[in-house]
Amino acid sequence: MNTERSDALFQPQNLIPPLYTEHTTWVNGNRTASDMHWHNCAEIGLCTSGSGLFFVGNRVRSFTKGCVTFMPGGLAHIAQSPDDSPSEWKFIFVDLEKAGIPCNISDGLIIPHRDLRSLFSMLFDSLSDERQDAELSFCLMKCIVLTFSRLSDSVPAAAQTHHFRTVLPAVNHIQKNYGSAITVSELAKICGISVSLFHRTFRSAIGMPPMEYVNYVRSQSAENLLAFTDMRIIDISEASGFESLSSFSRQFRKYNLISPGGFRKRKRAENR
């Protein structure tokens, strides 16, 4: 299992044979989101409504309705959505080893994929049926894992680092508070280490300096709001935690090579 789990919350699942699964629905806003956590099994999810950010190990990805996710057992992760428009999810938890389904996926995946959505929905319905066809559920689960395995070849793996657990309290703080003012000294204090050590450790764990990561998370949040809401750009700037519209535009261009307004126009054209 992934070593990043060490200081994240452990959320065990009650898995039911013969397929060793559990399934549930979940409504997720910022206040209802826990710290980054891990499970004793694989987690497969389908976002049925809403959008937001998904923190997976040392990476951040945006998600929206229709995205299907795969999190291996032991990998620290958390999904976050605005409290005024929480995302809705369906989850299936499974111990693939006990179920007899081989899997070599070691990284978290977040993919908008029509076939995976269909397979997931059929499996969820099968598991929900009191007259569950165990053989059908097994075949659907195997198809889902094989599809994820094939797609995982084109997804870069998360960096493995022994420093991640040291800065995990800071990552948790950022994912919950990126819309507010954040300082490096504040983050170092949360982790219980000096500012200089925190800066070095954070960069080693995440791959970028602390405030660059904060601005990256804010830019990811802004991408989501630009693409899927009608909020004014100045309001998106404030909601994402930028000090000024000029700072927002500068940081957004840094990560997207396009202005916020240009990004919104392009997304709307793609969705027509």
Side-chain angles (χ1 to χ4, degrees), residues 131-146:
R131 301 167 297 174
Q132 179 190 154
D133 185 333
E135 185 174 350
L136 173 62
S137 296
F138 176 84
C139 290
L140 289 169
M141 182 71 77
K142 191 171 183 179
C143 286
I144 288 173
V145 173
L146 286 172

Side-chain angles (χ1 to χ4, degrees), residues 12-16 19-24 41-42 44 91-95 124 127:
Q13 304 303 136
N14 181 29
L15 305 176
I16 302 172
L19 200 56
Y20 294 93
T21 61
E22 180 182 356
H23 61 285
T24 187
C41 58
I44 306 172
F91 288 111
I92 297 171
F93 302 92
V94 57
D95 187 323
F124 194 92
L127 295 173

Side-chain angles (χ1 to χ4, degrees), residues 233-253:
I233 290 179
I234 190 170
D235 293 332
I236 290 174
S237 171
E238 293 176 0
S240 299
F242 290 99
E243 294 181 353
S244 65
L245 187 57
S246 60
S247 175
F248 170 42
S249 297
R250 183 173 62 254
Q251 292 295 333
F252 194 87
R253 282 181 179 274

Side-chain angles (χ1 to χ4, degrees), residues 93-271:
F93 302 92
V94 57
D95 187 323
L96 293 169
E97 184 176 356
K98 288 184 177 180
I101 299 174
C103 178
N104 60 0
I105 305 171
S106 59
D107 193 25
L109 305 173
I110 304 164
I111 303 172
H113 195 278
R114 183 173 58 187
D115 291 342
L116 277 172
R117 288 198 298 271
S118 298
L119 289 168
F120 180 98
S121 296
M122 286 189 288
L123 177 58
F124 194 92
D125 290 344
S126 177
L127 295 173
S128 302
D129 192 336
E130 293 181 358
R131 301 167 297 174
Q132 179 190 154
D133 185 333
E135 185 174 350
L136 173 62
S137 296
F138 176 84
C139 290
L140 289 169
M141 182 71 77
K142 191 171 183 179
C143 286
I144 288 173
V145 173
L146 286 172
T147 303
F148 268 121
S149 296
R150 177 173 55 82
L151 295 171
S152 67
D153 293 338
S154 61
V155 179
Q160 301 298 309
T161 170
H162 297 296
H163 296 301
F164 183 81
R165 61 179 177 269
T166 302
V167 300
L168 181 56
V171 174
N172 277 325
H173 183 79
I174 292 167
Q175 65 99 354
K176 291 181 178 180
N177 299 283
Y178 62 82
S180 305
I182 295 176
T183 65
V184 173
S185 58
E186 173 189 16
L187 296 174
K189 185 176 181 180
I190 290 170
C191 293
I193 56 179
S194 68
V195 171
S196 58
L197 178 58
F198 171 76
H199 200 281
R200 293 196 304 273
T201 306
F202 193 95
R203 182 162 191 157
S204 175
I206 305 300
M208 63 183 77
M211 291 313 299
E212 183 175 338
Y213 177 76
V214 171
N215 285 327
Y216 172 64
V217 171
R218 288 169 173 167
S219 294
Q220 288 287 307
S221 169
E223 280 188 33
N224 178 61
L225 295 174
L226 287 165
F228 302 110
T229 76
D230 293 321
M231 289 176 63
R232 298 185 306 165
I233 290 179
I234 190 170
D235 293 332
I236 290 174
S237 171
E238 293 176 0
S240 299
F242 290 99
E243 294 181 353
S244 65
L245 187 57
S246 60
S247 175
F248 170 42
S249 297
R250 183 173 62 254
Q251 292 295 333
F252 194 87
R253 282 181 179 274
K254 177 179 178 181
Y255 296 110
N256 294 279
L257 304 178
I258 192 173
S259 69
F263 178 86
R264 170 171 272 175
K265 288 180 181 178
R266 186 177 69 189
K267 282 295 182 182
R268 287 181 173 175
E270 291 174 354
N271 294 329

